[in-house]
Amino acid sequence: NAGVTQTPKFQVLKTGQSMTLQCAQDMNHNSMYWYRQDPGMGLRLIYYSASEGTTDKGEVPNGYNVSRLNKREFSLRLESAAPSQTSVYFCASVSGGSNYGYTFGSGTRLTVV
Amino acid sequence: GENVEQHPSTLSVQEGDSAVIKCTYSDSASNYFPWYKQELGKRPQLIIDIRSNVGEKKDQRIAVTLNKTAKHFSLHITETQPEDSAVYFCAASARGGGNKLTFGTGTQLKVEL
């Protein structure tokens, strides 16, 4: 039982390049989330998927797209990376219902130069 | 949308002393309030949570209190130890709406010997 797995752990991109961050959970959770973490700003929600087949914008969605590929996988895509997207990205999941406790992945540290 | 404010941003205590971190929220519909601990370079991990039908919850040396009328909640750590040094985040969520968590900006707790 691996929990929430994110890949890659580290990435350096040049401005304008694209990439996809992968996230998979093996806990049969319904809801999945992408957050970014910047110094002094806590964790801010980029996009989320309340259930398989649905996705919605969070607080800071500009410059990102997501895909809920199936119940296990939720990917985050940067189409044209910008230095402002330098951050640590966390994927999280939760079962829903009466259990609200998130499980986080180990994070992806992204640098855009 | 929900707005969560967290204070202080940094807190330094002597080993064995108590530490208190406070958060306020804006959305009266919020009914779930977790606290996460994040060690340097690691993922956030849930340490305690409270629902709106409860005023206080304890788990060994940590406790959380909730004042729904004033829309604030607090984390209390007693008998602090060096391993309590970390960044602590509060968060709030309203039932439904995809169980989205809105996080505070974090408190860097340092426990000095």
Side-chain angles (χ1 to χ4, degrees):
Chain A
N1 189 339
V4 179
T5 302
Q6 284 184 240
T7 56
K9 292 188 183 302
F10 300 94
Q11 183 72 48
V12 178
L13 289 179
K14 294 182 179 179
T15 298
Q17 287 185 319
S18 63
M19 77 163 295
T20 299
L21 281 65
Q22 306 286 353
C23 175
Q25 51 89 10
D26 61 2
M27 298 171 287
N28 201 35
H29 283 174
N30 292 311
S31 303
M32 299 184 72
Y33 309 83
W34 278 104
Y35 284 85
R36 60 177 288 172
Q37 184 175 31
D38 303 293
M41 301 188 75
L43 294 109
R44 292 182 293 166
L45 182 63
I46 304 170
Y47 270 94
Y48 68 101
S49 171
S51 61
E52 185 179 359
T54 69
T55 60
D56 285 287
K57 294 178 180 180
E59 180 185 355
V60 288
N62 291 345
Y64 306 94
N65 283 299
V66 291
S67 295
R68 183 76 182 266
L69 305 170
N70 47 55
K71 191 170 186 178
R72 291 185 63 249
E73 298 173 287
F74 187 39
S75 62
L76 178 71
R77 183 161 179 83
L78 287 70
E79 291 291 351
S80 179
S84 61
Q85 294 178 305
T86 294
S87 188
V88 180
Y89 292 85
F90 285 100
C91 176
S93 69
V94 67
S95 64
S98 61
N99 179 7
Y100 289 11
Y102 280 19
T103 300
F104 281 90
S106 57
T108 296
R109 185 173 295 275
L110 175 67
T111 301
V112 182
V113 298
Chain B
E2 176 66 276
N3 181 52
V4 176
E5 295 190 356
Q6 182 173 348
H7 300 280
S9 57
T10 61
L11 179 60
S12 184
V13 300
Q14 295 293 314
E15 183 180 7
D17 287 350
S18 295
V20 180
I21 303 170
K22 298 181 179 182
C23 290
T24 61
Y25 62 99
S26 62
D27 188 350
S28 57
S30 289
N31 60 357
Y32 174 68
F33 307 92
W35 286 88
Y36 286 83
K37 176 183 180 181
Q38 186 179 30
E39 297 176 345
L40 188 62
K42 302 288 183 63
R43 74 192 78 189
Q45 294 200 306
L46 179 69
I47 56 171
I48 195 168
D49 57 13
I50 191 168
R51 287 174 171 73
S52 59
N53 59 346
V54 176
E56 183 176 5
K57 183 177 179 180
K58 291 183 180 180
D59 183 2
Q60 300 182 348
R61 294 187 299 108
I62 61 174
V64 58
T65 58
L66 171 65
N67 183 326
K68 286 170 49 182
T69 302
K71 294 184 191 167
H72 66 72
F73 56 112
S74 301
L75 177 71
H76 304 253
I77 306 174
T78 59
E79 300 174 14
T80 53
Q81 302 168 2
E83 52 265 39
D84 294 329
S85 295
V87 178
Y88 292 81
F89 292 97
C90 62
S93 172
R95 188 174 183 84
N99 294 329
K100 302 187 302 293
L101 282 178
T102 300
F103 286 83
T105 50
T107 297
Q108 174 74 62
L109 173 64
K110 182 177 181 181
V111 180
E112 298 178 334
L113 297 173

